[in-house]
Amino acid sequence: MSSPDEHAPLAPTDGPQEPDVSPATAWQRLHPLSVWAAALVTGIFMIPSAIVGTVVLVVMDQPLWALAPLPATLAFLALVTYLDILRLRAVRYRVTAERMEMRSGIIAKAYRSIPRERVRSVDVAAPVYVRIFGLCSVTVGTGEKVGSGSDQLQLLYVTAEQGEWLRRDLLYRGTPRSGGDSSEETADTGAPVETELARLRPRWFAYAPATTATLGVGLGAIAALLSANAQSGGRGWRWLSEQAGLPSAQEVSSFVMAQALLVLPLTLLGLLLSGVVVLTAAAVETWWDYRLTREADGTVRLRRGLLTSVSLSVEGRRLNGVTLHEPFVLRSVGGADVRAVATGLAAADAQKTSAKSRLSPAMPRHLARRLAADLMRAPDSPLDVPLTPHPRAALRRRFTRAGMVTVAGAVLAGTLAWLHTLASAAWWEAVHVAEQHIIGVPLTTSVVEASPSWFWAVLAVVVAAVAFWYAVGSYRALGHGLHPRYLLVRKGMAVRDTVALERSAVIGWRITHSPFQRRRGLADVAATTAAGKGMYAASDVGLGQGLDWADQAVPGLLEPFLVRGEESGESRS
């Protein structure tokens, strides 16, 4: 690798090249403009706040204090900028033939090194406030699942050209290109041809609100307003009523109770529309300009983002399978998304790992299945393999749980109905006053007070119906199967995941069966792997059925623990 000047960005190269192994390889600095990018974004948020604070203090007739916010903010910005300059001077990195190295620290010096063969992913991100400077961040991941973040190196910030060079160079393994490979390069640039797997279609944004969070967004906004009103002891609603000439809380409550059949649907519609707007806007920002491509060396590259441009690259040989992800609401409208089962995508927690492994926005289910098949590069899609249903004992186990929920719901409904009959008029008046201090318009307790006695019985029946409906759906989602190259497992009612995992990526098996499962001859048979979540289980499968499936998926791995001719097996870790 030829070393550019210590302060200059690396020039883009025509395709991956073997790095120079000379010991004179220079240490590189982050780009100097990264300091001013950080100062800009801090100033955008802090200076307007300081100006508003100054105006408020002047209006409150505090002229001396009004002189403080703006100078204090500018002094703080100067301090932060000075510390960033020190950080810039302290951070050094270099890429050699064997490893990537990084030095950092102003007071406590740190040295970190990652062998090139352990690099699993390279994430290039460009938030809008650094994109205007032509910069980006580069995160190099090794795939080690540690919570402290020591599994990766992050450069904040380098030029966009240097970020792209680092991405190609670190993922390039130096495989010699044959004459046949030359046909996969463009005539002008010599860069590898990309095979496009998926590109954004604007109509896919219609699937963004298909989530249980749609109503929750509006409810969250209402909850924030209620919390502010509660903190003021109800004075917020009273002040708003006086200023805007609104009816009193009692008048509003009486109107809502009288027009409940009109007010409740309109309220739900308003919550739904607010959730649709917010979630669609979030999807546009996240998935705008989405493209998923495969490069000539097999690397899968994801590009997306409106305000924050993100580029994530995963080595093809590290992509060990895919997950067809179908939450209930999205599944109900025929949608799904695709997630990677790969090494190198682990993050600090499960939520961040799931977000990082996502390879597509919500899209029509048949397109998601087609994309998953393209990613696995199998002549016949593993997702088309018929899955083996699980024993009826698994359904009975779910019915038992539903029965327990039904009993609990009936007991709760009966208790509430009994308390409802005991409540006196004075008690309800006290509850209304307490609720008014929190909500402003005491509707909840009014609805409960006006509820007829049969309401609680209906509530118990609804809980029972939902519990048994969920049990049937959960059982119908269970399934497992085998493809010549992949094993498949499916489960989930609220969130249904169909996982196709390479059989060669399985490194072990974990068989667990609780006392309740043993009574019914069931077990959880889980394949362990270094990729993705680390373990993918066929839940509540027949013990003999599950062991046969595991033995066929990876012949010989379970053989020492199997007792032929008996429906028993044991796996010891």
Side-chain angles (χ1 to χ4, degrees):
M1 181 181 71
S2 58
S3 302
D5 182 75
E6 188 176 18
H7 300 281
L10 290 172
T13 61
D14 294 335
Q17 296 180 354
E18 285 289 280
D20 184 8
V21 296
S22 169
T25 300
W27 287 88
Q28 305 297 308
R29 286 185 179 179
L30 303 178
H31 200 281
L33 286 179
S34 61
V35 173
W36 308 114
L40 174 65
V41 69
T42 306
I44 287 176
F45 286 100
M46 294 193 64
I47 291 179
S49 301
I51 294 174
V52 170
T54 300
V55 172
V56 170
L57 290 172
V58 170
V59 171
M60 296 176 62
D61 197 21
Q62 299 288 336
L64 294 179
W65 284 106
L67 300 176
L70 197 56
T73 300
L74 295 177
F76 179 78
L77 283 175
L79 176 62
V80 170
T81 303
Y82 175 70
L83 293 177
D84 273 345
I85 291 174
L86 294 181
R87 178 187 64 84
L88 179 72
R89 298 183 64 181
V91 175
R92 297 283 192 279
Y93 73 94
R94 69 176 178 179
V95 180
T96 68
E98 293 83 19
R99 60 186 62 248
M100 180 177 183
E101 301 168 284
M102 181 176 176
R103 299 182 186 273
S104 61
I106 300 174
I107 298 176
K109 301 294 184 180
Y111 169 80
R112 295 170 62 190
S113 174
I114 294 179
R116 289 172 64 104
E117 65 269 13
R118 284 177 51 203
V119 173
R120 301 292 182 261
S121 64
V122 180
D123 188 356
V124 181
V128 64
Y129 59 88
V130 301
R131 199 188 314 166
I132 60 177
F133 292 97
L135 304 179
C136 67
S137 67
V138 178
T139 304
V140 182
T142 65
E144 293 183 359
K145 298 182 180 180
V146 293
S148 63
S150 59
D151 62 327
Q152 61 186 23
L153 294 181
Q154 189 173 42
L155 304 179
L156 300 174
Y157 298 93
V158 296
T159 64
E161 293 81 5
Q162 192 170 1
E164 175 63 15
W165 186 91
L166 286 168
R167 185 191 71 83
R168 290 187 178 275
D169 186 63
L170 289 171
L171 291 178
Y172 176 58
R173 298 304 182 193
T175 304
R177 298 185 182 274
S178 63
D181 292 330
S182 61
S183 62
E184 298 179 348
E185 297 184 357
T186 59
D188 344 324
T189 64
V193 171
E194 292 181 337
T195 302
E196 187 172 270
L197 302 176
R199 180 188 289 268
L200 178 70
R201 301 181 188 179
R203 61 177 177 270
W204 292 351
F205 289 131
Y207 289 96
T211 170
T212 53
T214 304
L215 286 175
V217 170
L219 290 174
I222 293 176
L225 294 176
L226 296 181
S227 175
N229 185 66
Q231 292 295 326
S232 65
R235 290 190 295 271
W237 172 260
R238 290 195 294 271
W239 178 85
L240 182 62
S241 300
E242 294 171 359
Q243 297 297 319
L246 298 177
S248 67
Q250 290 76 13
E251 292 172 336
V252 174
S253 176
S254 300
F255 173 79
V256 172
M257 290 297 298
Q259 303 292 333
L261 294 179
L262 175 64
V263 173
L264 291 179
L266 290 178
T267 302
L268 290 176
L269 179 61
L271 294 175
L272 184 65
L273 289 178
S274 63
V276 167
V277 171
V278 171
L279 292 175
T280 302
V284 170
E285 195 285 323
T286 302
W287 294 103
W288 187 257
D289 200 26
Y290 161 74
R291 285 187 67 210
L292 187 68
T293 58
R294 178 183 285 115
E295 298 178 350
D297 60 355
T299 299
V300 174
R301 185 180 184 188
L302 167 69
R303 281 167 282 194
R304 60 174 176 82
L306 180 62
L307 299 180
T308 301
S309 176
V310 175
S311 173
L312 174 66
S313 299
V314 181
E315 278 189 284
R317 66 193 181 102
R318 302 296 176 184
L319 185 63
N320 299 125
V322 297
T323 298
L324 188 68
H325 186 71
E326 302 172 274
F328 174 74
V329 179
L330 184 59
R331 185 170 74 247
S332 301
V333 297
D337 65 65
V338 179
R339 309 195 174 199
V341 178
T343 55
L345 297 181
D349 54 54
Q351 185 176 1
K352 291 181 179 179
T353 300
S354 178
K356 194 174 181 181
S357 65
R358 188 170 176 179
L359 296 181
S360 79
M363 59 173 65
R365 188 172 186 270
H366 70 278
L367 295 180
R369 292 175 64 91
R370 185 188 307 170
L371 174 59
D374 291 341
L375 285 167
M376 290 183 284
R377 292 197 284 191
D380 51 336
S381 174
L383 295 179
D384 293 334
V385 172
L387 299 183
T388 303
H390 289 198
R392 301 288 289 185
L395 176 60
R396 292 193 293 272
R397 190 162 187 249
R398 280 151 180 77
F399 276 165
T400 301
R401 296 172 183 167
M404 296 172 63
V405 172
T406 299
V407 171
V411 170
L412 178 61
T415 303
L416 292 176
W418 176 66
L419 293 175
H420 187 265
T421 59
L422 295 179
S424 62
W427 186 87
W428 283 115
E429 183 64 26
V431 172
H432 292 331
V433 172
E435 184 185 15
Q436 186 173 351
H437 285 295
I438 300 175
I439 298 180
V441 182
L443 296 176
T444 305
T445 55
S446 299
V447 171
V448 174
E449 182 183 11
S451 299
S453 57
W454 51 262
F455 170 78
W456 306 106
V458 171
L459 179 62
V461 171
V462 169
V463 169
V466 171
F468 280 94
W469 167 76
Y470 191 93
V472 172
S474 179
Y475 170 73
R476 294 179 63 184
L478 295 176
H480 63 279
L482 287 177
H483 176 271
R485 285 178 51 200
Y486 293 86
L487 61 84
L488 294 100
V489 291
R490 186 184 66 194
K491 65 178 180 179
M493 175 58 179
V495 178
R496 180 172 298 174
D497 285 338
T498 306
V499 179
L501 175 66
E502 281 186 336
R503 293 160 67 169
S504 59
V506 177
I507 58 177
W509 293 96
R510 180 178 178 182
I511 294 91
T512 57
H513 45 145
S514 66
F516 299 103
Q517 286 178 313
R518 284 197 293 270
R519 289 181 56 207
R520 300 185 184 274
L522 302 176
D524 293 342
V525 180
T528 59
T529 176
K533 296 179 180 179
M535 188 176 300
Y536 296 93
S539 301
D540 284 337
V541 66
L543 182 57
Q545 180 187 37
L547 293 176
D548 288 342
W549 171 68
D551 189 44
Q552 293 174 28
V554 188
L557 188 58
L558 269 181
E559 188 65 32
F561 307 100
L562 294 179
V563 179
R564 298 295 179 182
E566 298 183 15
E567 204 171 76
S568 62
E570 183 180 3
S571 178
R572 300 180 183 274
S573 56

